[in-house]
Amino acid sequence: MSSAAETPAVGAEAPARSEPAHGWRLFTIWLVLALAADLLIWFFLYPHLPPGRMSSSATHQQFDIAVLIITATPVIVAVVLYFVYAIVVWRARPGDDSDGPPIYGHTGVQATWIIGTSAIVLWLFVFGTVELIGPAGAGAGEGPSPIWKLAGHQTATWTPGSNDMLQVQVIGQQWTWSYRYPQFGGFETTQLMLPIDTPITFHVTSLDVIHSFWAYQLGVKADANPAVDNVAYTTAKQMGSFVVRCSELCGIWHGAMFDYGQVVPQSAFAAWAHAVQAKEQSDGLLAALPPFALTYDPTVIPQLGKALVNVVGVTGAPGYYYGPANPVTP
Ligand SMILES: [Cu+2]
């Protein structure tokens, strides 16, 4: 590495010392520290990282975050190590008023820097691309016609045990979420129920302002925009409840716009869905709802809301229901 001052500095009491191989020394210390830090992260931090492993997309996201931390940590270790090493080893000794040697470039350091940073950037590019394609969009909203589609059959009905994709429409409005299941007569509910181990297609839309459907533990986040069908995919891998939040400031009660979804066994889901469908059929709600569509025209909400209150005693503000001109006259 750099040699000591060629001429002894005036007043320097120590004779010119031979410099140790700082580069190799730094590299060895860095290697040990970086390896130790990455191993600790992999075994102790990774399993606890958000958003957990409740779905295919969540599992991928947890893995992605772990890999990014493991990529970044050696860089952070290198920076901090260099600072500490420089302060300890290269600090001015008492009484040493000499200048450091003038250095004009160092091919080895420059080449290492360029190769190292290029390798990191290329690795992140490849890794990011693979992880985006693998889980078919990584749980993000991809617009009305996604490039990547989750494995599974697009079918008009859904049966347990099949590889059929379950279609779930997510409808945001100030300030609640509702859900429609087009493979079960298009019934609407405020309960988000999902079968386990089933590829799911969310169709996210809004009736008024912009919202964002964020099923935290599922690792799904998709903008809910009026007149837009925003598609997001996932497959639930663990039973239990998850949080749904609105993730886009949408008015005064935005903070209260959350509820909980459930992942249940496939047979339990089918039983629930058939029961809700039958109930909404018998009480007239299914007939009164607008036909299932990927987006809805919110201008007819008030009329339809009034009609539904009369039909099935639905309470709440006018405008809870919506749809294209499809007035119900009680
Ligand atoms: Cu909202």
Side-chain angles (χ1 to χ4, degrees):
M1 300 307 283
S2 57
S3 62
E6 287 148 33
T7 51
V10 181
E13 62 247 43
R17 295 168 293 131
S18 69
E19 289 287 325
H22 293 294
W24 285 109
R25 218 196 236 178
L26 277 166
F27 176 76
T28 310
I29 300 170
W30 169 79
L31 195 65
V32 171
L33 290 179
L35 202 63
D38 274 353
L39 285 172
L40 287 173
I41 289 164
W42 183 263
F43 287 107
F44 295 105
L45 183 62
Y46 172 28
H48 304 288
L49 285 173
R53 298 179 185 176
M54 198 168 184
S55 74
S56 55
S57 37
T59 305
H60 273 272
Q61 286 164 23
Q62 190 188 51
F63 175 71
D64 297 346
I65 295 168
V67 169
L68 292 183
I69 295 174
I70 279 169
T71 305
T73 299
V75 177
I76 295 165
V77 168
V79 171
V80 173
L81 173 63
Y82 187 85
F83 275 125
V84 172
Y85 189 88
I87 289 166
V88 172
V89 178
W90 291 320
R91 72 183 187 279
R93 297 297 190 276
D96 179 3
D97 293 330
S98 63
D99 282 337
I103 298 170
Y104 302 97
H106 187 289
T107 313
V109 169
Q110 287 166 328
T112 306
W113 180 266
I114 290 167
I115 292 168
T117 50
S118 302
I120 293 171
V121 170
L122 284 174
W123 152 247
L124 292 177
F125 165 70
V126 172
F127 177 75
T129 306
V130 168
E131 284 298 284
L132 194 60
I133 296 170
E142 299 172 78
S145 48
I147 303 172
W148 300 298
K149 299 197 189 313
L150 204 61
H153 303 298
Q154 307 280 343
T155 50
T157 57
W158 182 89
T159 41
S162 65
N163 195 31
D164 300 343
M165 295 201 67
L166 181 74
Q167 312 279 329
V168 180
Q169 183 172 53
V170 178
I171 302 163
Q173 62 182 302
Q174 288 170 320
W175 288 273
T176 191
W177 297 106
S178 55
Y179 310 94
R180 291 191 77 171
Y181 290 77
Q183 289 149 315
F184 293 86
F187 75 74
E188 178 169 12
T189 171
T190 52
Q191 273 185 295
L192 177 54
M193 204 71 92
L194 300 174
I196 196 165
D197 291 326
T198 300
I200 290 158
T201 306
F202 289 111
H203 293 277
V204 183
T205 191
S206 165
L207 296 181
D208 39 42
V209 300
I210 55 173
H211 303 271
S212 180
F213 172 66
W214 183 22
Y216 176 87
Q217 286 87 349
L218 297 186
V220 172
K221 196 184 244 187
D223 287 342
N225 295 327
V228 174
D229 168 37
N230 194 11
V231 173
Y233 299 112
T234 197
T235 302
K237 291 289 180 192
Q238 289 172 4
M239 238 90 82
S241 73
F242 56 89
V243 182
V244 172
R245 285 194 173 281
C246 181
S247 184
E248 185 72 57
L249 184 59
C250 59
I252 194 166
W253 293 113
H254 161 72
M257 192 170 164
F258 69 93
D259 59 23
Y260 299 91
Q262 288 281 336
V263 177
V264 297
Q266 294 186 3
S267 52
F269 169 80
W272 170 82
H274 286 299
V276 177
Q277 184 181 357
K279 168 120 185 16
E280 295 197 3
Q281 185 100 51
S282 71
D283 64 16
L285 187 53
L286 262 193
L289 280 172
F292 176 83
L294 294 174
T295 62
Y296 301 93
D297 176 4
T299 56
V300 296
I301 292 173
Q303 306 90 291
L304 195 61
K306 276 183 206 139
L308 279 171
V309 170
N310 291 334
V311 169
V312 286
V314 176
T315 55
Y320 188 80
Y321 290 93
Y322 49 81
N326 182 23
V328 178
T329 40

